[in-house]
Amino acid sequence: MSQPLLGITGLSKRYPNGTQALDSVGLRVGAGELVALLGPNGSGKSTLLRCAVRLVEPDSGSVRVADTELIGLRGTALRRARTRVALIFQQARLVRRRSALDNVAAGALAHHPGPRTALGWLPPGERARAAALLARVGASEVAGQRADTLSGGQAQRTAIARALAQRPAVLLADEPVANLDPEAAAATMALLRELAHTERLAVLCVLHQPALALEFADRVVLLNRGRVVLDQACSDTDPATLASTG
Amino acid sequence: MSRAARHPAARALPRRLGRWLVVFVGLLVLGQALVVAEVDPSALVEGLGGVARLVADGLPPDPAALPSAGLAVLQTVDIALVATVVATLLAIPFGAIAARPRTGSRLLSAPIRAVAAFLRAIPDLVWALVFVAAVGLGPFAGVLALTVHSVGMLVRLFAESIEEMDSGPAEALLAAGATRVQVFSHAVLPELLPTMGSLALYRLEQNVRSSLVLGFVGAGGIGFQLLSAMEEFQYRQASMLLLVLFALITVFELGSARVRAALR
């Protein structure tokens, strides 16, 4: 792999209760690649993603996005670096009382740090871009709807559009299909794969369903007790190896 | 097998004793309260006659008191309205700073909470005395008193609302690189506007009640007229004013409840 867009090296995290959530974890995701991250409950998958964007502070290690090291950054530099890494959560986490369009446009706030956005204003250019992004993810029909009226699949697509509004290089998805029915889950995974391949994003996606991983991902990484125990192309992976990781 | 296991009655005895001890201590506390508060049922019985005379002297209510009462009522409501609006506008940013962890400031949260606690610990009537001494008699002292007390209440209530809300949307925007101020105005405020509106309305209701009595210390409103009527033994005038107060509070309570229900 040429220079990866996402490079994690030696990442470790021990929680105050003594749990070693991550133990010197390393993995790389290149541009245009969709990597599925699997593992049993408590293996450190969500902690890995949250450490990558510094929502949780790792104890040691390195997280590089393109040529920027995220560990050690503070204030404005950290906020700027975070724009390059978009995080999609299991719950869509939309502002319920705002429209889907406004939620998507809010994803670009970091690019407009002035006083007007601090007072609740959204740049018209970003609203227009948000409409285009909603169309891109196949959710343009819900642009004007309040977020709390959206179905699970519509909400997750809106969350993906919000992530794209950040102009990221890397997309981290933490169990994005956990609350979706099989049809919506497959559609969402297909969208993530398409975004990875056409937008040349590096996508790291936490999943509990090995079948989805093998169907949509380029590579699979298996975590167990905070350590990487498998990292290989899906085409080289025996489904039976992943069968017990849900 | 232990002695306690062989004899269930032995296990139950300490629990029963504990319960009786709690009852006994409770009765002691209540007893000292009755003594210190000088509760005297015989004085109440003797005083009932006086109350009956007062009620009789106040009937029927004097409608001649209505014209001057109208302006005083308007002043009472306006004192409460101005104080509530100003206090709400001040409490929103201070409440956000005081709320931990997503919008608040590590440095400023505790001092702001302490100041808010102090402001609301002092009763609004006492604040009215302070501001009457500072800015003179009149409704402005009442506005200041209610504003200060309301800021103390609303900062705490707004901060608690922010802390108790679903942190997901705010966390999502923080992870996207938004500043804390942007997170507040684009995630927290839109979600909490109905709650904050409801709290502000309830505060307005409380302030109207408080504003009624601020006149007793010279801080404007209908309280001054009521106090004057009582001191001049104009009980029919006083009963008319009390009827007006009752109508005012009832209208506010009903209206406020409806609007708060609509905000939910």
Side-chain angles (χ1 to χ4, degrees):
Chain A
M1 184 192 298
S2 56
Q3 174 78 2
L5 271 183
L6 174 67
I8 296 173
T9 313
L11 206 64
S12 295
K13 174 67 184 179
R14 181 190 288 272
Y15 284 114
N17 65 3
T19 305
Q20 187 74 38
L22 297 174
D23 188 358
S24 201
V25 167
L27 62 86
R28 304 191 305 171
V29 185
E33 208 181 7
L34 172 58
V35 174
L37 184 62
L38 292 103
N41 289 333
S43 57
K45 306 184 298 295
S46 292
T47 301
L48 177 63
L49 262 57
R50 296 173 84 83
C51 282
V53 291
R54 304 266 307 275
L55 283 179
V56 169
E57 288 297 336
D59 298 329
S60 62
S62 160
V63 175
R64 294 191 74 87
V65 175
D67 52 2
T68 304
E69 171 63 54
L70 260 71
I71 306 299
L73 293 180
R74 290 189 184 287
T76 307
L78 176 60
R79 280 199 300 275
R80 237 182 252 132
R82 274 176 169 164
T83 64
R84 303 286 282 154
V85 188
L87 184 52
I88 300 165
F89 301 85
Q90 180 178 329
Q91 308 288 340
R93 299 194 177 193
L94 303 174
V95 179
R96 292 171 311 148
R97 294 178 58 83
R98 299 200 91 177
S99 68
L101 187 79
D102 283 349
N103 269 283
V104 172
L109 280 172
H111 298 284
H112 305 278
R116 284 201 289 176
T117 54
L119 293 173
W121 177 77
L122 284 166
E126 292 299 347
R127 295 176 71 89
R129 188 161 172 268
L133 288 171
L134 277 171
R136 177 78 176 81
V137 301
S140 53
E141 75 277 9
V142 302
Q145 270 180 244
R146 259 174 58 152
D148 56 2
T149 64
L150 304 180
S151 69
Q154 290 170 335
Q156 200 58 286
R157 283 173 180 267
T158 303
I160 292 172
R162 180 179 62 188
L164 295 176
Q166 271 180 246
R167 301 170 178 83
V170 174
L171 209 56
L172 305 177
D174 191 358
E175 297 190 50
V177 299
N179 297 324
L180 304 181
D181 60 57
E183 194 182 324
T188 302
M189 287 305 301
L191 174 61
L192 288 175
R193 180 176 62 187
E194 193 213 328
L195 288 172
H197 293 172
T198 60
E199 309 291 329
R200 304 295 296 162
L201 300 174
V203 180
L204 179 61
C205 183
V206 172
L207 290 170
H208 267 301
Q209 302 92 330
L212 282 177
L214 292 173
E215 183 179 353
F216 292 102
D218 301 301
R219 254 171 61 227
V220 62
V221 172
L222 190 56
L223 270 191
N224 197 357
R225 293 185 186 177
R227 292 183 180 185
V228 174
V229 296
L230 182 80
D231 184 347
Q232 63 189 45
C234 288
S235 53
D236 299 335
T237 304
D238 180 2
T241 311
L242 305 178
S244 59
T245 63
Chain B
M1 193 186 286
S2 68
R3 182 167 178 265
R6 283 199 303 269
H7 300 282
R11 272 203 315 275
L13 186 59
R15 245 182 276 143
R16 251 186 282 141
L17 277 176
R19 255 183 253 139
W20 279 114
L21 186 64
V22 166
V23 170
F24 178 67
V25 168
L27 285 173
L28 269 182
V29 168
L30 186 59
Q32 72 80 34
L34 291 171
V35 169
V36 169
E38 297 183 12
V39 173
D40 184 0
S42 63
L44 176 62
V45 170
E46 280 173 29
L48 278 176
V51 171
R53 269 196 307 278
L54 207 60
V55 170
D57 288 345
L59 293 174
D62 184 3
L66 279 176
S68 59
L71 202 59
V73 163
L74 181 64
Q75 192 177 76
T76 299
V77 171
D78 286 343
I79 288 171
L81 185 63
V82 173
T84 307
V85 169
V86 173
T88 302
L89 291 174
L90 287 173
I92 288 174
F94 282 116
I97 297 170
R100 296 298 313 280
R102 62 198 68 89
T103 60
S105 157
R106 269 193 201 106
L107 273 174
L108 297 174
S109 175
I112 287 175
R113 282 175 178 266
V115 169
F118 173 75
L119 293 181
R120 64 177 179 267
I122 312 286
D124 40 28
L125 207 55
V126 174
W127 280 119
L129 285 170
V130 169
F131 285 113
V132 161
V135 303
L137 295 169
F140 187 46
V143 169
L144 291 173
L146 292 183
T147 300
V148 162
H149 189 74
S150 298
V151 166
M153 292 298 297
L154 289 175
V155 163
R156 175 189 152 189
L157 292 171
F158 286 175
E160 284 177 357
S161 299
I162 293 169
E163 287 164 358
E164 287 165 9
M165 68 176 284
D166 175 14
S167 62
E171 199 175 46
L173 288 188
L174 263 178
T179 64
R180 283 182 184 270
V181 178
Q182 287 174 330
V183 168
F184 178 75
S185 53
H186 288 270
V188 175
L189 205 52
E191 288 289 90
L192 287 185
L193 223 43
T195 302
M196 288 180 172
S198 188
L199 290 170
L201 262 174
Y202 187 67
R203 193 68 226 153
L204 176 62
E205 207 182 298
Q206 300 290 312
N207 281 344
V208 167
R209 277 200 197 83
S210 298
S211 175
L212 294 174
V213 295
L214 291 187
F216 286 11
V217 298
I222 202 171
F224 180 71
Q225 274 192 336
L226 182 59
L227 184 66
S228 302
M230 295 293 283
E231 286 177 342
E232 292 166 12
F233 309 106
Q234 299 295 321
Y235 297 122
R236 289 181 59 213
Q237 213 177 34
S239 66
M240 190 73 230
L241 292 173
L242 285 173
L243 269 180
V244 170
L245 294 182
F246 171 69
L248 175 66
I249 294 298
T250 304
V251 164
F252 254 92
E253 278 184 2
L254 289 174
S256 165
R258 284 214 168 155
V259 176
R260 278 186 283 128
L263 284 175
R264 256 180 246 123

